[in-house]
Amino acid sequence: MAAQSLYFGWLFVVFFCFKHNQCEPFQAPSYTIDLDLAPEERWLNITQKYLKFTPKILADMRKKIPPFVMPLAERLAPVIAEHFPEEYSREMMGISKGLNISLPDTIILNILYDITAFCTSIVAQGKDGSVFHGRNLDYAFSDTLRDITFISNFKSKGKVVYTGVTFAGQVGLLTAQRPNSVTISLDERDRGHIWDNVFEAIFNKNAIPVTFLIRDVVSTEGIDFTQAVKKLSEVSLIADGYLIVGGVQVGEGAVVTRNRESTADIWKLSEDAAKKPWYLVETNYDHWTTPPPSDDRRHPAEKALQKLTQAKLAPDSLFGVMSIHPVLNNKTVYTTIMQAKKADVFNTWIQKP
């Protein structure tokens, strides 16, 4: 009987450890996007690595779009693409080839990635003024996205110009960094039906996906925090959103709350590192309102930061804040920690909570 009890005891330990290891975050793969190549060729080799996931990607996309809308969406996609920068349209042509999907499907994927991700983003500064940026990306189809998430290092002439986190099939960036310049993450602002945003893309030729704007900002040579916030505040978008921005100097942290055509609010860190606010927590609700009890990630994150204290803020401790429940939840796809002033801090872990 004792031997049997011991056996079941060890069985429990092995099972528990296996389950624990399965839940550990792991390093996202990293690839180089050569900006010196023709746009059609930049993503080709990378997307071909994810070809086996194409059926899952398309199935998830069709779950998000009602069946009766899909034919209309496929017809409208090329019209929408005419408003996109030519470079991105050409990149999507290469992605279509790499994933073996139609160009309209690729365009629809990019629009969905742009406007349907729930997230938590934090920008905070230590007592010495060092600015850190953390983000969790949450999504309904987290299982699929965990399989197709990777770090993209955009290089030109052998040098990393900017870095982002991407899904196979995505041209724009939800999470991005330009070394010694800015860090940016996008959180969804849920205002209006998804198709309001699509029609905005059709009828407003000046409006672009938010993810394209983020990539435009981090690809701009010489851009600084102030210029980035200005550009993120002014360009017409196809969807509302929260743009969380970090810089390199004291006080260079902001949450830009966007309407499609205007900016609703710009919320900033204190320009004095010793004063409040030393952190900004943005989830998917206007910071001047109270999040619903059913989805309150803001207050747990704030309590964790207060417990941490400003003096102990660092990349690893910020990762710890991003890892508490419900900031980390079963829809979290990945966690990214970044710091514009020290570009090598940038890292992304796939989460399986």
Side-chain angles (χ1 to χ4, degrees):
M1 189 69 176
Q4 188 179 32
S5 299
L6 184 62
Y7 169 77
F8 283 113
W10 276 111
L11 188 63
F12 173 80
V13 170
V14 170
F15 176 77
F16 177 82
C17 291
F18 177 77
K19 292 279 285 185
H20 176 73
N21 289 336
Q22 286 293 93
C23 295
E24 287 291 331
F26 59 93
Q27 176 70 53
S30 182
Y31 300 107
T32 295
I33 290 82
D34 189 348
L35 296 172
D36 298 326
L37 294 175
E40 294 87 348
E41 299 176 10
R42 293 172 184 170
W43 300 90
L44 191 56
N45 291 337
I46 300 168
T47 48
Q48 286 177 339
K49 298 177 188 293
Y50 294 92
L51 185 58
K52 66 181 179 181
F53 297 109
T54 294
K56 289 176 66 179
I57 295 170
L58 293 178
D60 286 348
M61 181 179 76
R62 281 163 173 75
K63 287 177 186 175
K64 194 72 177 176
I65 301 176
F68 67 89
V69 175
M70 197 65 201
L72 174 63
E74 289 175 342
R75 288 199 299 271
L76 292 177
V79 178
I80 297 170
E82 292 177 3
H83 306 171
F84 294 166
E86 181 187 358
E87 182 179 14
Y88 297 161
S89 295
R90 291 173 63 189
E91 285 189 7
M92 284 189 280
M93 291 177 189
I95 286 172
S96 299
K97 184 177 180 181
L99 288 178
N100 193 27
I101 61 177
S102 70
L103 181 58
D105 279 343
T106 305
I107 294 167
I108 294 167
L109 270 177
N110 275 269
I111 294 172
L112 285 178
Y113 288 153
D114 190 75
I115 57 180
T116 57
F118 279 79
C119 314
T120 300
S121 293
I122 296 172
V123 62
Q125 61 186 359
K127 282 201 167 182
D128 63 352
S130 297
V131 179
F132 299 93
H133 192 154
R135 79 103 86 253
N136 282 357
L137 185 135
D138 303 343
Y139 204 91
F141 307 117
S142 52
D143 287 340
T144 300
L145 293 182
R146 290 180 186 118
D147 289 329
I148 62 172
T149 298
F150 55 91
I151 297 171
S152 301
N153 292 305
F154 295 82
K155 286 188 175 182
S156 180
K157 299 179 176 59
K159 180 182 178 182
V160 175
V161 183
Y162 56 97
T163 300
V165 185
T166 11
F167 305 129
Q170 183 183 22
V171 168
L173 298 174
L174 291 158
T175 307
Q177 172 181 278
R178 185 175 181 92
N180 204 37
S181 177
V182 292
T183 56
I184 308 173
S185 62
L186 170 66
D187 290 7
E188 181 195 0
R189 189 180 186 214
D190 190 10
R191 291 167 64 87
H193 193 274
I194 182 174
W195 291 105
D196 294 339
N197 302 323
V198 174
F199 288 126
E200 179 75 9
I202 297 168
F203 296 114
N204 183 351
K205 293 186 178 181
N206 295 318
I208 64 170
V210 190
T211 54
F212 288 10
L213 174 58
I214 292 173
R215 184 171 166 187
D216 285 347
V217 169
V218 295
S219 66
T220 303
E221 185 176 357
I223 198 163
D224 61 21
F225 171 81
T226 301
Q227 293 167 337
V229 170
K230 185 174 187 293
K231 188 169 183 178
L232 294 169
S233 303
E234 294 178 348
V235 175
S236 294
L237 304 172
I238 69 170
D240 297 31
Y242 302 103
L243 291 152
I244 299 85
V245 192
V248 297
Q249 304 295 334
V250 177
E252 290 191 341
V255 175
V256 181
T257 301
R258 279 299 310 263
N259 304 317
R260 292 191 187 101
E261 298 293 329
S262 63
T263 293
D265 180 75
I266 300 177
W267 182 32
K268 291 186 176 182
L269 289 174
S270 172
E271 294 183 3
D272 185 336
K275 294 183 179 179
K276 297 179 180 179
W278 63 270
Y279 61 79
L280 309 175
V281 176
E282 180 57 63
T283 55
N284 301 102
Y285 309 97
D286 296 344
H287 71 87
W288 57 90
T289 65
T290 302
S294 60
D295 185 30
D296 185 3
R297 288 162 280 132
R298 180 199 300 171
H299 291 116
E302 290 178 338
K303 287 178 181 177
L305 286 164
Q306 291 164 8
K307 184 178 179 180
L308 173 66
T309 74
Q310 188 179 17
K312 294 181 180 178
L313 182 67
D316 57 345
S317 60
L318 182 56
F319 182 85
V321 173
M322 306 305 298
S323 300
I324 65 166
H325 180 77
V327 178
L328 179 70
N329 57 77
N330 61 6
K331 291 184 179 180
T332 303
V333 177
Y334 68 78
T335 298
T336 297
I337 302 296
M338 46 191 173
Q339 184 182 16
K341 193 172 184 177
K342 296 181 180 178
D344 58 354
V345 167
F346 189 105
N347 208 348
T348 296
W349 296 265
I350 309 299
Q351 295 278 14
K352 289 197 172 183

